[in-house]
Amino acid sequence: MIDLETISGRQPTTAPRVWITHDRTKAMSSAEWSRIACLLTYETNAGVIYVEWNYGRDMCTLAIDTAWQALQDEGRIPKGKLKPGIDAVSAKQGKLLRAEPIAQQMVEDRVRLRGAFVDLENEWATWQPTDTDSPGRIDASCVLVYGLIPEVNQGAIVHAPLPTSPQPGQIGRAVPTSGAAAAYGRRIGK
């Protein structure tokens, strides 16, 4: 097969693309979300379930294992069907730091939605860092993309904003790079 992009002189697109095809996100108990995750995994024949490892850790794995076994006992998933792998994704602290790299992937057309996801699109379009609500759909889509495109989550250097009001004795001086101000910049990686 001949690649027309190569013949025309353009570099072929090799960046991976994530297609979001389902959204079953809502506030649920661990027993409920784990069953829904297992049923969705079975329905789509997915080979892995990504979990947010630093907020739930072993509870996520136990809930999924228990739900898979219960669904097989109930006959909703065939007994011979292997449970998909469970892969951990370390989430960055703070919703904004988690969502920014994924929003950039959407801008670069590395993440697409296949179908109409009004609630997911609305959450991505309207959520502000000052909102008191927790954007569950944003979190879920971030964990998925971090799992499928791991380099997006690798070693980003982030800097939270420094205090805006002048501190006593610091007027006219540069902000110190050690002490309390140093806590505002840190390296985040997987």
Side-chain angles (χ1 to χ4, degrees):
M1 186 168 124
I2 299 173
D3 184 351
L4 296 177
E5 290 185 17
T6 304
I7 292 174
S8 68
R10 294 189 344 230
Q11 292 296 320
T13 306
T14 59
R17 178 174 288 138
V18 172
W19 289 88
I20 297 176
T21 60
H22 296 77
D23 178 19
R24 306 272 166 87
T25 311
K26 65 180 183 177
M28 298 178 252
S29 68
S30 60
E32 189 178 3
W33 70 252
S34 59
R35 289 176 63 88
I36 288 173
C38 289
L39 287 170
L40 179 60
T41 303
Y42 173 68
E43 175 187 325
T44 60
N45 201 27
V48 66
I49 297 175
Y50 291 104
V51 297
E52 191 175 6
W53 196 244
N54 46 334
Y55 298 107
R57 198 167 283 249
D58 297 332
M59 185 275 301
C60 295
T61 303
L62 178 62
I64 291 167
D65 288 344
T66 304
W68 190 267
Q69 184 61 51
L71 290 165
Q72 285 186 323
D73 292 345
E74 295 166 14
R76 296 189 66 191
I77 296 176
K79 288 271 188 192
K81 179 73 174 172
L82 292 176
K83 178 179 62 81
I86 300 172
D87 200 358
V89 174
S90 294
K92 295 180 173 105
Q93 289 184 337
K95 309 265 184 230
L96 180 63
L97 294 179
R98 281 182 235 173
E100 278 184 328
I102 305 310
Q104 182 63 36
Q105 298 307 302
M106 290 176 172
V107 168
E108 293 177 6
D109 198 27
R110 292 181 74 190
V111 176
R112 288 188 182 177
L113 304 178
R114 174 172 260 149
F117 299 105
V118 176
D119 293 334
L120 176 62
E121 291 177 42
N122 186 46
E123 199 168 283
W124 270 103
T126 61
W127 182 80
Q128 296 292 316
T130 55
D131 290 350
T132 55
D133 63 327
S134 179
R137 286 179 171 83
I138 291 176
D139 283 346
S141 55
C142 286
V143 169
L144 174 68
V145 175
Y146 282 141
L148 294 172
I149 311 176
E151 65 269 17
V152 172
N153 197 24
Q154 296 296 317
I157 298 175
V158 296
H159 300 280
L162 292 171
T164 55
S165 61
Q167 302 297 314
Q170 289 186 349
I171 297 174
R173 286 194 235 155
V175 177
T177 57
S178 62
Y184 285 96
R186 61 195 163 115
R187 184 167 184 83
I188 295 179
K190 193 168 185 181

